[in-house]
Amino acid sequence: MPFLISTFRQFVHRLLTCSVLSLLFAVTASAQVNLLFPAPDQVFYPERIVRLEWMNATPERVDVLYSLNRGASWNTIATGVSETSYSWKLPLLDTERILFKIEIASLKQPQPISQPYTNKSGVLSASFNPRGSLIAATLANGTANVRSADNGVVQGSLNLSPAELRSSQVYSYSPDTLVIAAGRNVVMYNFFSFGNVKFGAAEHGSVIRSAAVHPAKPVIATATEDGIVRIWDAQQRKVLHTFTTVSGLPLNTLRFCNNGTRIIYAGDEGIAFVREWDNPAAQVYELRGHGNGSANMAIESAALSGDGSKAVTAGRDYSVRIWNVEDQSPESIMFAHRSDVTSVRFSPDDTRVLSGSLDSTVRQWSVATGLELHPALTMQGEVSSVDYSPTGDTLLAAERNTGTMLLWKNVRAAGASDTVSGIIRYPIGLRIGNVRATVGTTTNIPILLDRIVSVPYFERARFEATCMVVLPSHLVSVNDTSFRELSMGNRYDTVFVPLVFTASDTVGRIPVRALLSDVLTDDIRLISNSSSIRWGNGVRAFILQRVENGVFEIDSVCGSLITRSVLFNREGEFTLSP
């Protein structure tokens, strides 16, 4: 009978699990994101703010992308956006059309990007440097080394006592220095000059189990087996603050958040503590819940999100837990691992968590849902350490017993998305050049391009246009014998001037002859209404935004006397006669 009850319970559990997964799949499959703003074919101007707004019916974050080739390829504006709007300063782009896309970020199975990097001993800890170009590793044989992330070539190594070495991390304040926890000492090893200094043995009452470096300041934190955290001024090598735990049990993990405001530390007590590192009087947040009753409570690894508002912890109860720090409550608890979870990290955009376990698997989780993003990555040995590259695209995992380190590349899959097209208009100005000429002679009046913004579009091809210029009555265009009367009551020549836009600032010329007149100076005006410039070649990328008129000066010395009279017929047509 107990067997039948147990079997029935397993059947119900599997049925409910399948139902939940089916419902989750249905919701995910039908999930949609809809762009609400901008409107289709809205006009945008370079170096101005573009605001995108959308509706997202899922808890997942989105990527904001743009394309210049109608979606053939995409460029990133922002990734992992949790809000439903984003403001972006439109750069100078070599195009007249742009396509925006909002897409739910999803991952395929990460792919290996290199051959495994091997060490002579098992890896106790491994992490990227802040630039992602180096990997710092601590080995069970007492060696701390730094190698290139691209090819695995070792850049420097330092041999210490195997019994003392616990962890190492590249020093953010001095990128060529490794900070190593070795016994009761903090060792700062310069892997270019190969020099090193030690400090802290007198202050530490027991062995250092973890050391962390501040992301921007010359500050180091240490956590020891007697349950004490010390904050160090790394330049003066003196203790700034000391934090103690009530139990005095060993601390196993210690880390700053990426903005440098908070620190998290945890250990065998099973409680993770979050606090401001530079303010001993600030509130201490306690994250409790690990363990099965009073057993397996120890936390092996902990990390904070970029702003310190969320935490992730993992330990000997096989669980990974994501916490809301302010509420001191778990948001998700994941039990997929089948052995101690030794290492956890947040992705740089705080949308994912990476975990490694003694069960030889590496798993990647969604922070929003607590679900795995892809099947587990399998290694040959026990996983001792995991990390994200600074871009979040590359995963690092190291094995405790074999010394192998592996790198994977995250591969994105297309999720639910929505797109909208826009038109880019480059504002330009035209300026009439000032000219001095003699009556009776032919003179070229230049039309100059005023580049309100740098226009790379002009550099790529040749574009043609026509603009309307009004000449005063004592000038006549050599190429145009038409004559029009404007509403101002005076007679002027309105000429259509061909323009050619290339790399040159001079885009057109008006050949004119000066007539005999008592006026010595006059303005040459470019009509600035919406129809004053007409683009050829189907170009819509430019808009005339600014116009500057020119001045024509006539010398008093006349080369020849030229006059004109105007003859109108009844239909209002006109001609010019000498």
Side-chain angles (χ1 to χ4, degrees):
M1 187 66 177
F3 173 75
L4 292 176
I5 293 174
S6 175
T7 304
F8 177 74
R9 285 177 177 173
Q10 292 179 12
F11 171 76
V12 172
H13 174 74
R14 290 178 181 176
L15 180 62
L16 290 175
T17 301
C18 292
S19 300
V20 170
L21 290 176
S22 299
L23 177 61
L24 176 64
F25 176 79
V27 171
T28 304
S30 62
Q32 293 293 325
V33 287
N34 297 308
L35 268 165
L36 305 177
F37 187 83
D41 290 334
Q42 182 170 327
V43 175
F44 303 100
Y45 299 96
E47 300 187 332
R48 296 187 186 178
I49 298 298
V50 176
R51 183 169 178 81
L52 295 99
E53 298 179 3
W54 59 90
M55 180 185 69
N56 182 6
T58 78
E60 297 294 335
R61 302 192 182 198
V62 302
D63 293 341
V64 186
L65 312 167
Y66 73 92
S67 174
L68 305 180
N69 50 18
R70 301 183 185 274
S73 61
W74 293 94
N75 305 288
T76 300
I77 297 175
T79 60
V81 180
S82 59
E83 296 80 10
T84 56
S85 65
Y86 193 83
S87 295
W88 180 52
K89 185 177 181 181
L90 184 68
L92 295 171
L93 301 171
D94 190 13
T95 184
E96 64 175 286
R97 296 200 67 91
I98 188 169
L99 189 65
F100 295 106
K101 178 163 76 169
I102 304 298
E103 182 177 77
I104 293 178
S106 58
L107 294 178
K108 294 182 179 179
Q109 185 79 356
Q111 298 299 311
I113 60 175
S114 67
Q115 294 296 319
Y117 299 153
T118 58
N119 294 282
K120 296 180 179 180
S121 179
V123 180
L124 302 179
S125 70
S127 61
F128 284 103
N129 71 331
R131 296 181 181 177
S133 58
L134 300 173
I135 299 173
T138 309
L139 308 183
N141 66 359
T143 301
N145 66 33
V146 176
R147 67 176 68 226
S148 168
D150 292 332
N151 54 32
V153 174
V154 175
Q155 307 292 314
S157 64
L158 180 67
N159 294 320
L160 297 165
S161 169
E164 295 181 340
L165 201 60
R166 290 302 179 95
S167 67
S168 62
Q169 191 176 353
V170 174
Y171 184 37
S172 306
Y173 199 75
S174 177
D176 56 359
T177 300
L178 199 61
V179 175
I180 307 167
R184 297 186 180 186
N185 282 302
V186 175
V187 180
M188 300 186 71
Y189 166 60
N190 188 299
F191 46 84
F192 283 142
S193 67
F194 305 112
N196 70 86
V197 296
K198 299 179 181 180
F199 62 90
E203 291 83 357
H204 291 122
S206 61
V207 172
I208 305 169
R209 285 201 173 183
S210 183
V213 298
H214 192 278
K217 296 182 178 181
V219 172
I220 295 172
T222 57
T224 54
E225 289 186 347
D226 56 4
I228 298 176
V229 172
R230 291 174 176 86
I231 308 297
W232 293 82
D233 181 325
Q235 293 177 325
Q236 301 295 323
R237 299 169 197 166
K238 66 178 183 180
V239 177
L240 300 175
H241 307 291
T242 300
F243 308 132
T244 60
T245 57
V246 175
S247 68
L249 292 174
L251 293 171
N252 302 319
T253 182
L254 173 72
R255 197 165 184 88
F256 288 94
C257 64
N258 283 341
N259 71 4
T261 58
R262 288 179 169 179
I263 195 169
I264 186 171
Y265 51 94
D268 288 357
E269 187 178 4
I271 303 172
F273 302 91
V274 181
R275 67 187 307 155
E276 295 176 12
W277 67 268
D278 57 351
N279 183 6
Q283 179 179 353
V284 180
Y285 300 94
E286 298 184 0
L287 311 180
R288 299 171 178 263
H290 274 278
N292 306 315
S294 60
N296 300 320
M297 295 177 61
I299 297 174
E300 296 287 346
S301 183
L304 291 170
S305 61
D307 62 358
S309 64
K310 293 183 183 294
V312 59
T313 58
R316 295 176 192 169
D317 62 357
Y318 305 177
S319 73
V320 176
R321 300 170 187 248
I322 299 173
W323 304 80
N324 182 306
V325 173
E326 305 297 326
D327 295 341
Q328 303 177 87
S329 61
E331 294 183 346
S332 299
I333 302 176
M334 297 83 85
F335 279 102
H337 287 293
R338 300 185 304 276
S339 187
D340 297 8
V341 184
T342 55
S343 184
V344 286
R345 291 289 181 269
F346 274 101
S347 63
D349 62 4
D350 297 330
T351 62
R352 291 163 282 141
V353 160
L354 191 65
S355 63
S357 168
L358 298 184
D359 65 5
S360 303
T361 64
V362 175
R363 300 176 186 271
Q364 198 167 192
W365 313 85
S366 166
V367 172
T369 64
L371 299 175
E372 282 193 77
L373 295 171
H374 51 76
L377 304 172
T378 303
M379 301 187 70
Q380 296 299 315
E382 298 174 343
V383 180
S384 61
S385 193
V386 296
D387 198 16
Y388 281 104
S389 66
T391 60
D393 292 334
T394 304
L395 315 180
L396 166 67
E399 294 182 357
R400 173 178 293 179
N401 46 358
T402 68
T404 300
M405 296 192 299
L406 291 175
L407 297 174
W408 292 272
K409 190 76 172 180
N410 270 329
V411 179
R412 291 191 174 276
S417 64
D418 194 18
T419 60
V420 66
S421 62
I423 300 170
I424 298 180
R425 293 276 181 88
Y426 294 94
I428 64 169
L430 292 177
R431 179 167 57 88
I432 307 295
N434 297 328
V435 174
R436 184 179 181 88
T438 302
V439 171
T441 61
T442 299
T443 303
N444 284 310
I445 302 173
I447 300 179
L448 307 173
L449 173 63
D450 181 5
R451 299 172 186 262
I452 296 176
V453 297
S454 175
V455 185
Y457 209 47
F458 282 142
E459 311 299 333
R460 185 170 59 86
R462 169 192 172 104
F463 301 100
E464 297 179 356
T466 302
C467 71
M468 300 172 64
V469 177
V470 180
L471 300 177
S473 58
H474 57 275
L475 296 181
V476 60
S477 171
V478 173
N479 298 329
D480 188 4
T481 58
S482 64
F483 185 85
R484 296 186 179 180
E485 182 178 3
L486 300 184
S487 61
M488 292 170 289
N490 297 318
R491 293 184 176 89
Y492 293 87
D493 274 337
T494 302
V495 294
F496 294 88
V497 182
L499 306 177
V500 177
F501 292 85
T502 58
S504 173
D505 286 340
T506 301
V507 295
R509 288 181 174 84
I510 314 170
V512 298
R513 298 186 71 183
L515 305 178
L516 182 62
S517 172
D518 57 356
V519 178
L520 298 181
T521 64
D522 208 342
D523 290 338
I524 307 162
R525 297 186 297 106
L526 193 151
I527 298 177
S528 57
N529 59 35
S530 59
S531 61
S532 63
I533 184 167
R534 300 171 185 172
W535 289 95
N537 307 340
V539 177
R540 296 194 297 169
F542 311 104
I543 183 169
L544 184 62
Q545 192 174 78
R546 189 162 63 212
V547 169
E548 184 178 338
N549 297 322
V551 176
F552 194 94
E553 297 184 12
I554 301 176
D555 284 341
S556 58
V557 178
C558 300
S560 62
L561 300 180
I562 301 177
T563 61
R564 71 175 176 181
S565 60
V566 183
L567 303 176
F568 291 96
N569 60 25
R570 292 181 180 179
E571 285 75 24
E573 296 177 352
F574 45 84
T575 59
L576 290 178
S577 61

